Amino acid sequence: MKLSKIWEILCPQPGRGRARVTHAVVVIFLEFFAWGLLTTPMLTVLHETFPQHTFLMNGLVQGVKGFLSFLSAPLIGALSDIWGRKSFLLMTVFFTCAPIPFMRISPWWYFALISVSGIFAVTFSVIFAYVADITEEHERSMAYGLVSATFAASLVTSPAIGAYLSAQYGDSLVVLVATVIAVADIAFVFFIVPESLPDKMRLTSWGFPISWEQADPFASLRRVGKDSTVLLICVTVFLSYLPEAGQYSSFFLYLRQVIEFSPAAIAAFIAMVGILSIVAQTLFLSVLMRTIGNKNTVLLGLGFQLFQLAWYGFGSEPWMMWAAGTVAAMSSITFPAVSALVSHSASPDQQGVVQGMITGIRGLCNGLGPALYGFIFFLFNVELNDMEPVAGRPADTEKSIVPGPPFLFGACAVVFALIVAVFIPEHHRLADVKTCSAHKAGGSASSSSAHAQNGSPLATPTSDAEDIEPLLQDSRM
């Protein structure tokens, strides 16, 4: 039954339109598969380009990228609500993948392009808005789970394949293969992916003026403060994703340097976590959303993340890392559950705005997290500069009570995220907004009103801003 439901979401009946969740899944898979291939070459280029304080410099590069993503995500999300998703999906995929060939052409240009690519590196924002356009509200959490699971699936084999090709044929071939896959992804978006936003849902033409209020991410944050529910959700995302972003930037080298995993063991670890994450975000997520609800699913995912980070922080043996990895897979349900929660709190024509805001916060974490983790490792004298385990490492470092201090810091941040998430209301005022919008639509729009009451993405947007939540009010000027 679960597989049939997933198939129904991926390949809906023709009457529901040409755009499908399958299109979003393929775009995400190709983009992150290309970057997954570069896991090993990336560490090499980092070390060769920045031989001193490698991960601190990596944090600086990622910090610039993350901050630019934070600045641009609300604007791109709002523009996609007006002009459609496809053009912005093409733009985000192109600029996200643009630095790949420069890894071998010029490492300095490569890191410079990674930094500035943050302006458009908000693919998840547009993808989640794309999915919201073509799914019913009751399907959305499973659809988001499929997209997030695709991200995990792209990392199941790509790091191992990249490491093998690098060892056998050199990094240049890995970069070439990744570039070809990136070009294929861009071509797929350009030639095959259809527009998901119906013409009647687009607010106006290309001549529609965008106000500074819509483009200013700090104004978006100020609007967040006017809506207590969205404020709680955004704080939860920040506190939970900050340690996750830092973990992504340093964990594999941490396994290699401190826990002394072999390259084959690291590839197997990534594959295991990826496969389990796919299962968690498809089968388990849908069951949990139906049985315990959206909010409790978020709380459960945060609980798994807390357990995982604490285990990473105190664990000093390889088997501990393997065990914690299974818990990490279960914690992957948090973000799709949060995205579904945010989506349910927004009207159909504003999915890009709210998803852009969440993606902007994640982009900010992508900048702060790596720098913070690298700095904490540096403070506690856990060296991450060498590409091979240090033979002369003192015995007391091996037997440290807290081998991974940044992970313990991350666990503390997730504790606060759990506390904040407890206060998220179980049901937002979305139902009242929909009902009021449907009532104002009048008799001539009764079919559109029915769609609005059912949470359909095809509901006709209301022009009465007084019935919109404070967060979203300014975006409809």
Side-chain angles (χ1 to χ4, degrees):
M1 182 177 180
K2 298 292 186 301
L3 293 178
S4 62
K5 184 65 176 177
I6 293 173
W7 178 256
E8 180 183 348
I9 293 176
L10 287 173
C11 300
Q13 296 300 318
R16 298 182 61 182
R18 293 195 308 121
R20 299 177 179 178
V21 176
T22 309
H23 294 117
V25 165
V26 172
V27 171
I28 288 294
F29 180 84
L30 291 177
E31 178 178 318
F32 288 97
F33 188 88
W35 280 105
L37 289 172
L38 300 176
T39 301
T40 298
M42 170 83 78
L43 295 176
T44 303
V45 173
L46 266 172
H47 183 63
E48 292 176 350
T49 308
F50 308 110
Q52 298 296 323
H53 309 303
T54 304
F55 272 77
L56 286 178
M57 294 304 299
N58 175 58
L60 179 62
V61 171
Q62 297 297 332
V64 174
K65 177 182 178 180
F67 187 69
L68 291 176
S69 176
F70 165 72
L71 293 176
S72 65
L75 175 60
I76 291 179
L79 289 175
S80 74
D81 284 336
I82 297 171
W83 297 333
R85 315 295 184 198
K86 179 172 180 175
S87 57
F88 288 94
L89 187 58
L90 181 64
M91 185 185 302
T92 58
V93 172
F94 175 82
F95 282 99
T96 301
C97 297
I100 291 177
F102 287 89
M103 179 178 284
R104 299 308 298 171
I105 297 174
S106 172
W108 286 102
W109 272 105
Y110 168 72
F111 288 110
L113 287 175
I114 283 184
S115 298
V116 299
S117 70
I119 299 175
F120 300 102
V122 289
T123 305
F124 266 106
S125 171
V126 184
I127 282 292
F128 278 135
Y130 188 97
V131 170
D133 293 337
I134 58 178
T135 56
E136 303 289 348
E137 188 171 329
H138 67 277
E139 300 174 330
R140 209 161 288 160
S141 60
M142 181 178 289
Y144 286 159
L146 288 172
V147 173
S148 297
T150 301
F151 166 74
S154 68
L155 298 179
V156 169
T157 57
S158 57
I161 293 173
Y164 173 79
L165 293 176
S166 177
Q168 296 295 321
Y169 306 103
D171 290 345
S172 296
L173 179 64
V174 182
V175 174
L176 176 62
V177 173
T179 302
V180 171
I181 293 174
V183 171
D185 195 16
I186 295 170
F188 178 80
V189 175
F190 186 82
F191 292 107
I192 299 178
V193 173
E195 176 57 56
S196 66
L197 197 63
D199 291 337
K200 65 178 181 179
M201 289 291 296
R202 303 185 197 182
L203 299 184
T204 187
S205 67
W206 283 83
F208 185 79
I210 298 297
S211 68
W212 172 245
E213 286 293 315
Q214 292 171 278
D216 181 10
F218 300 100
S220 299
L221 293 181
R222 288 192 293 271
R223 292 199 298 273
V224 168
K226 299 176 183 178
D227 189 310
S228 59
T229 297
V230 179
L231 174 62
L232 292 172
I233 293 174
C234 288
V235 173
T236 300
V237 169
F238 179 82
L239 291 174
S240 62
Y241 195 71
L242 182 66
E244 186 174 341
Q247 173 185 318
Y248 285 154
S249 70
S250 59
F251 185 63
F252 300 134
L253 189 54
Y254 175 79
L255 290 178
R256 187 173 175 179
Q257 176 93 354
V258 179
I259 310 299
E260 297 186 358
F261 268 40
S262 66
I266 293 176
F269 182 89
I270 296 173
M272 181 203 72
V273 174
I275 293 172
L276 293 179
S277 296
I278 295 170
V279 175
Q281 295 174 18
T282 53
L283 302 180
F284 288 153
L285 179 63
S286 61
V287 172
L288 291 172
M289 294 287 284
R290 287 198 308 268
T291 55
I292 65 176
N294 203 325
K295 174 185 172 180
N296 290 330
T297 302
V298 173
L299 292 174
L300 182 62
L302 291 174
F304 280 121
Q305 186 182 8
L306 172 61
F307 188 27
Q308 159 223 332
L309 288 169
W311 211 340
Y312 282 160
F314 288 108
S316 58
E317 299 294 333
W319 70 266
M320 297 179 179
M321 299 296 105
W322 286 98
T326 61
V327 181
M330 285 302 301
S331 72
S332 65
I333 64 175
T334 303
F335 182 62
V338 168
S339 297
L341 190 62
V342 172
S343 178
H344 294 165
S345 301
S347 59
D349 60 309
Q350 295 163 337
Q351 295 295 328
V353 174
V354 293
Q355 296 296 347
M357 185 173 299
I358 295 299
T359 300
I361 293 175
R362 284 166 58 92
L364 189 62
C365 293
N366 281 330
L368 296 176
L372 187 60
Y373 266 50
F375 183 66
I376 295 175
F377 273 126
F378 177 76
L379 285 180
F380 284 84
N381 297 317
V382 181
E383 293 296 333
L384 292 175
N385 294 327
D386 298 319
M387 295 304 297
E388 298 294 339
V390 180
R393 184 180 301 280
D396 58 346
T397 303
E398 296 275 348
K399 299 180 180 179
S400 174
I401 297 177
V402 185
F407 304 112
L408 199 57
F409 164 82
C412 295
V414 175
V415 169
F416 288 107
L418 266 169
I419 295 174
V420 173
V422 167
F423 294 97
I424 297 176
E426 186 69 32
H427 300 288
H428 197 27
R429 290 180 292 167
L430 176 65
D432 295 335
V433 174
K434 287 178 181 175
T435 303
C436 189
S437 299
H439 180 266
K440 288 177 183 270
S444 62
S446 59
S447 61
S448 298
S449 301
H451 281 300
Q453 290 171 344
N454 292 329
S456 168
L458 299 178
T460 303
T462 177
S463 60
D464 192 341
E466 293 180 357
D467 295 326
I468 307 302
E469 294 297 335
L471 163 67
L472 305 172
Q473 188 168 352
D474 292 344
S475 67
R476 302 188 54 146
M477 294 176 61

